[in-house]
Amino acid sequence: PLPHPPENEYKPVSLKTIHDNPHLFHVSTPINIERLASALTIHPNRVFIASVIRSLKIGLWPWADTNPTGDYPETWDNAWANITSAKESEFVAAQCEEEAEKSQHSLAFGPDLLPGMYSTPIIAVPKPHSDDLRLIANQSAG
C-alpha cells in the first residue's frame, strides 16, 4: 500500500494554517474518485486500492521528510531573488495570475507567509534564442 506520511509531518502549526485557510489549499483531480473506487471493488489487492483512494482524497506525499536534520525553521521566506526589470516584474505578475486562475498557485493573501509556510525563489529567465521569458520556481533553493 501507499504509506501514510510519517507522524512528524503532521505539524500542529501547519495543520492550523491549512484548517484556517482552506481557500489557499484547494486540491483537485480530474479523477472521479468514487467512480474509480466503485470500479475497483473486485480488485484483489484491497489494501493497496484503499491506500490509493485515501491518497486521492486527502493527498499523498509518501516517504516525506521535510525536516531531515531537525533544525529547519517553522516558517521560511526564501524569496530572495530580485526581479531586475519592469519587463520581468510584469511577466512574473502575469504568470502568477495565470497560474492562480488555473488553480496552480494560491491567490495572494498578504505580504507575509502564514505559520508553517515556506516560499521558494521565483525568477524570470530569457528563453533561448528569444526575447520571451520563462518563469522558474527554484524548488532546490534553501
Side-chain angles (χ1 to χ4, degrees):
L2 300 175
H4 286 277
E7 286 301 315
N8 66 309
E9 294 299 324
Y10 293 97
K11 299 175 177 90
V13 68
S14 299
L15 294 175
K16 180 172 179 358
T17 295
I18 293 167
H19 179 268
D20 293 349
N21 302 277
H23 62 287
L24 297 178
F25 301 98
H26 175 73
V27 178
S28 67
T29 175
I31 298 169
N32 182 325
I33 299 168
E34 298 310 320
R35 187 171 177 189
L36 176 65
S38 177
L40 295 173
T41 55
I42 61 170
H43 192 282
N45 192 340
R46 299 299 316 140
V47 173
F48 176 71
I49 296 305
S51 73
V52 169
I53 299 302
R54 181 197 73 238
S55 297
L56 288 170
K57 287 181 177 180
I58 68 168
L60 170 73
W61 58 103
W63 308 285
D65 188 1
T66 60
N67 195 356
T69 62
D71 61 354
Y72 289 10
E74 184 175 274
T75 303
W76 181 250
D77 188 349
N78 198 18
W80 50 258
N82 291 328
I83 305 296
T84 59
S85 71
K87 177 182 177 181
E88 288 179 23
S89 181
E90 291 167 11
F91 171 77
V92 169
Q95 285 298 120
C96 288
E97 185 177 326
E98 183 178 327
E99 294 292 335
E101 288 172 4
K102 294 178 181 178
S103 297
Q104 302 299 316
H105 284 182
S106 297
L107 296 173
F109 55 88
D112 298 319
L113 294 175
L114 300 175
M117 288 184 163
Y118 273 53
S119 69
T120 59
I122 294 178
I123 58 175
V125 298
K127 288 184 177 180
H129 315 292
S130 170
D131 290 333
D132 293 338
L133 297 170
R134 174 179 290 133
L135 186 72
I136 303 293
N138 188 346
Q139 301 292 341
S140 299

